[in-house]
Amino acid sequence: MVLENKVALVTGASRGIGRQIAISLAKEGAQVIVNYNGSAAKAEEVVNLITEAGGRAEAVQCNVSEYDKAEELMKYIIGKYGRVDILVNNAGITRDNLLMKMTEEEFDAVIDINLKGTFNCIKHLSRQMLKQKGGRIINISSVSGVMGNAGQANYCASKAGVIGLTKSVARELASRGITCNAVAPGFIETEMTDVLADSVKEAMNAQIPMKCFGNTEDIAGTVVFLASDAARYITGQVINVDGGMAM
Ligand SMILES: NC(=O)c1ccc[n+]([C@@H]2O[C@H](COP(=O)([O-])OP(=O)(O)OC[C@H]3O[C@@H](n4cnc5c(N)ncnc54)[C@H](OP(=O)(O)O)[C@@H]3O)[C@@H](O)[C@H]2O)c1
């Protein structure tokens, strides 16, 4: 087990990619805080899966887009566990629309959760990681943030913002033993992509050199690697896990 005695926080871990990241980190020995916003029962399910397999996990509610609530979340975790070694900023939403039709609310909601939520969690944990003289920050961006995507101006702006944030944080904290990297998933089978029409999925598939969607384990495996000692000397990078879409 490569993450024994590590404490990990995964935001948005009640479903999809975050759920699998939480399970995979716990499998490697980490104590995992399974953050969720509205899906309490699903977050408890993740905790049960982990504990039944012999791992350690706790579900904690927090809307990460709220600056003060994110601070309370960090205070709670540090008060209880004394440290946070791994922060995975995974919580994210889409509110797709063509630019001409996109409302201010659709733009703001996506930026608030995807970008500001990531900032809030890093900001409120950075002092603790500096004290620890170590930590791993892993931000979930998207191929859409790397390449852009019609109908997703808000989402692409948020995910490109996450990449800029990642590189700046990496530069600021590198000398203190803290790494900060981004993972940019391509199209992954989750509830976020389940809602797409078959015709849209087919069009997406056509853009993927490997001709298939990825699964949540593909992303979780990359996160485990970035959290492990094997990735000690990697910071400020964007790892595309997308079947070859962005290259
Ligand atoms: N699926 C893909 O193809 C794909 C591709 C590229 C990037 N991504 C990125 O990967 C991440 C996970 O995506 P997914 O497909 O797993 O999404 P998902 O199945 O829709 O799950 C989203 C998760 O985020 C949580 N969340 C939403 N708003 C939150 C908030 N304000 N505070 C805390 N948690 C919040 C949800 O919790 P509740 O249910 O409790 O609200 C849920 O656990 C996102 O950042 C997404 O942008 C996904």
Side-chain angles (χ1 to χ4, degrees):
M1 291 207 279
V2 297
L3 301 175
E4 211 141 18
N5 300 321
K6 304 285 186 198
V7 177
L9 164 62
V10 184
T11 70
S14 51
R15 296 185 279 121
I17 292 173
R19 174 184 191 272
Q20 186 57 49
I21 291 172
I23 291 169
S24 296
L25 291 173
K27 207 171 162 190
E28 290 298 337
Q31 158 74 51
V32 181
I33 290 86
V34 174
N35 161 252
Y36 66 96
N37 186 24
S39 308
K42 290 196 171 184
E44 279 308 331
E45 238 175 67
V46 178
V47 169
N48 290 340
L49 272 174
I50 290 173
T51 51
E52 278 162 18
R56 292 170 302 148
E58 175 184 358
V60 183
Q61 194 282 334
C62 176
N63 178 349
V64 294
S65 71
E66 292 182 36
Y67 187 81
D68 295 343
K69 297 284 180 201
E71 185 173 24
E72 279 173 28
L73 171 68
M74 300 314 164
K75 280 189 177 155
Y76 169 76
I77 299 169
I78 293 162
K80 183 157 179 185
Y81 297 100
R83 58 190 295 116
V84 177
D85 303 286
I86 303 158
L87 165 65
V88 184
N89 285 302
N90 165 81
I93 62 163
T94 51
R95 293 285 183 276
D96 296 353
N97 217 338
L98 292 171
L99 182 72
M100 295 295 286
K101 292 184 181 168
M102 189 172 286
T103 64
E104 186 181 2
E105 287 71 27
E106 286 168 339
F107 189 84
D108 288 348
V110 170
I111 298 291
D112 278 355
I113 295 175
N114 299 9
L115 180 55
K116 191 170 170 227
T118 301
F119 165 76
N120 289 344
C121 292
I122 296 173
K123 159 84 188 172
H124 293 308
L125 207 54
S126 54
R127 194 180 299 276
Q128 174 63 28
M129 284 190 170
L130 286 169
K131 260 198 231 161
Q132 292 170 193
K133 296 196 171 57
R136 297 292 165 86
I137 301 169
I138 300 155
N139 300 323
I140 307 301
S141 177
S142 169
V143 67
S144 303
V146 177
M147 298 174 66
N149 197 18
Q152 288 197 312
N154 50 359
Y155 184 75
C156 296
S158 74
K159 293 298 186 178
V162 164
I163 291 174
L165 178 64
T166 299
K167 292 182 180 183
S168 300
V169 170
R171 286 188 187 277
E172 284 190 33
L173 304 182
S175 66
R176 310 295 282 271
I178 301 162
T179 68
C180 183
N181 291 289
V183 176
F187 297 121
I188 306 298
E189 285 167 3
T190 68
E191 286 174 33
M192 196 179 262
T193 49
D194 280 352
V195 295
L196 299 169
D198 283 347
S199 57
V200 176
K201 285 188 191 169
E202 276 165 31
M204 285 173 162
N205 234 350
Q207 298 174 48
I208 307 171
M210 289 181 76
K211 296 292 171 224
C212 60
F213 277 32
N215 58 42
T216 56
E217 283 92 346
D218 294 322
I219 308 306
T222 309
V223 170
V224 168
F225 164 69
L226 287 171
S228 75
D229 285 347
R232 184 189 74 88
Y233 202 53
I234 300 174
T235 197
Q237 302 304 306
V238 182
I239 316 275
N240 299 307
V241 185
D242 61 5
M245 285 184 76
M247 63 168 92

